Amino acid sequence: MITSSYSPSSWRQRLRRGRASGRLSAVLLLLPPALILFSLFVILPLADAAYYSLFDWNGYATPSDFVGAENYQRLLGHSTFHTALWNTVQLVIVSLVVQLPLALGLALLIYRKTPANALFRLVFFLPYILAEVAAGLIWSFVFDGEYGVTAQLFNALDMESVYILADRQWAFAAIMTVIVWKYFGFHMMIYIAALQGVPKDLVEAARLEGAGPWQIARHVQVPMIKHAIVVSVFFALIGSLQIFDIIIPLTNGGPSNSTHTIVTYLYTFGLTRLKIGFGSAAAIFLFVIAMLIAFFYQRHAMAREDA
């Protein structure tokens, strides 16, 4: 059954309103270049990756060894891929449970415009400015059990040093620590920008009613910046799926392939070993996960926020 909002007369009315407001001209002028660029740099590479994932191909010459879904079967049956998938899930959980609350707490402390707060904002935001590879190299020195800060600390305490990045139990925890340190400043700045837009009258009225800082934050400020939190969570979800350049200088996926994420797994077992078809299968798998998360989050969380 066709509802009135999708009836031909309704579409004609919308078209007339679009012509009158100039929106139709803007769409016809701006949309084609965007569609062409999107097709060239997103749709076509994805189509190529989906095609190559059906072949046993090393990246040279034309792929000819058609294997169908065999690459996907190998991927889903590979124990290292299971580890990479679980590590990626852990990154998502840590980002949502540790990184974002930390960023929000600090934002509530330093959102006011004072010279001291400006200094703290700069200090907390600095890790985000650093290149990922540089951050990984810095922390690899910190965790080094032979010459790094960790070694000096344990030597000062007259204890035997530990090699955190070489320990299967602690290596990924160290990586998650670095990722929280690297990106919490980005989310903190989103929250600060939103908090500075909260009307001061509301905060002052709550204070006059006897509300304390915790109650003001919980019942006034956080609900008022819900839109920023929704966007921040979306960035954290998608960003957690893309973690790559911090892990490579820290552990390169080791020890014993225990710190791979889906992206480093794709790089190690696909590109560096010239298994382009297999790597393309991992890329398509990652793309489908990212698309599903983006679709359902946009449809439910963001749509509810816009309503």
Side-chain angles (χ1 to χ4, degrees):
M1 178 178 177
I2 299 176
T3 61
S4 59
S5 60
Y6 293 99
S7 64
S9 61
S10 173
W11 278 106
R12 281 195 291 272
Q13 289 175 0
R14 291 184 181 183
L15 194 60
R16 280 197 294 271
R17 283 200 296 269
R19 284 176 183 168
S21 64
R23 290 181 182 175
L24 184 62
S25 302
V27 168
L28 292 177
L29 182 65
L30 300 176
L31 191 58
L35 282 177
I36 291 172
L37 291 174
F38 186 76
S39 300
L40 282 176
F41 296 107
V42 179
I43 301 297
L44 288 180
L46 274 174
D48 281 345
Y51 175 71
Y52 296 145
S53 70
L54 303 177
F55 291 85
D56 183 10
W57 185 48
N58 63 5
Y60 295 100
T62 303
S64 57
D65 189 3
F66 182 78
V67 295
E70 186 179 318
N71 285 327
Y72 293 95
Q73 293 173 351
R74 286 175 52 207
L75 181 73
L76 296 176
H78 195 188
S79 60
T80 304
F81 180 72
H82 299 163
T83 303
L85 193 59
W86 171 236
N87 287 341
T88 304
V89 171
Q90 289 185 79
L91 282 180
V92 171
I93 294 171
V94 166
S95 296
L96 297 180
V97 176
V98 178
Q99 186 171 257
L100 297 190
L102 174 65
L104 180 58
L106 289 172
L108 287 167
L109 290 175
I110 62 173
Y111 77 92
R112 293 184 181 85
K113 296 178 181 177
T114 66
N117 286 347
L119 178 62
F120 280 117
R121 285 199 290 267
L122 176 64
V123 170
F124 292 143
F125 191 64
L126 272 178
Y128 182 71
I129 298 173
L130 276 176
E132 277 79 0
V133 173
L137 290 173
I138 290 171
W139 278 91
S140 66
F141 172 74
V142 171
F143 289 131
D144 192 302
E146 195 71 35
Y147 305 105
V149 176
T150 303
Q152 295 176 16
L153 180 63
F154 276 81
N155 289 336
L157 296 173
D158 199 21
M159 297 172 63
E160 186 178 351
S161 185
V162 294
Y163 297 83
I164 297 173
L165 296 179
D167 190 318
R168 284 177 59 92
Q169 290 185 337
W170 292 104
F172 199 71
I175 288 173
M176 289 192 289
T177 303
V178 176
I179 289 171
V180 169
W181 169 84
K182 178 78 174 67
Y183 295 108
F184 83 92
F186 169 73
H187 298 283
M188 182 193 73
M189 294 304 285
I190 293 177
Y191 298 145
I192 286 176
L195 284 168
Q196 289 179 346
V198 175
K200 294 179 181 177
D201 296 347
L202 289 177
V203 177
E204 193 59 33
R207 189 173 290 119
L208 290 174
E209 290 290 332
W214 165 248
Q215 292 170 313
I216 293 174
R218 181 183 176 189
H219 297 293
V220 178
Q221 292 171 310
V222 171
M224 291 292 292
I225 65 167
K226 190 178 175 184
H227 59 288
I229 295 173
V230 169
V231 172
S232 174
V233 169
F234 181 71
F235 284 146
L237 287 171
I238 299 301
S240 298
L241 298 178
Q242 300 172 344
I243 297 295
F244 170 75
D245 12 19
I246 287 180
I247 295 176
I248 295 299
L250 276 172
T251 63
N252 199 23
S256 305
N257 295 320
S258 62
T259 59
H260 277 300
T261 60
I262 297 179
V263 184
T264 60
Y265 175 88
L266 181 163
Y267 172 76
T268 303
F269 291 89
L271 295 181
T272 63
R273 301 187 182 189
L274 292 180
K275 298 287 185 183
I276 305 302
F278 184 72
S280 297
I284 293 298
F285 185 88
L286 177 62
F287 172 75
V288 170
I289 291 177
M291 278 297 296
L292 288 175
I293 290 176
F295 175 77
F296 284 107
Y297 194 77
Q298 291 267 0
R299 186 174 178 84
H300 295 288
M302 289 187 166
R304 194 180 305 155
E305 181 63 20
D306 293 337

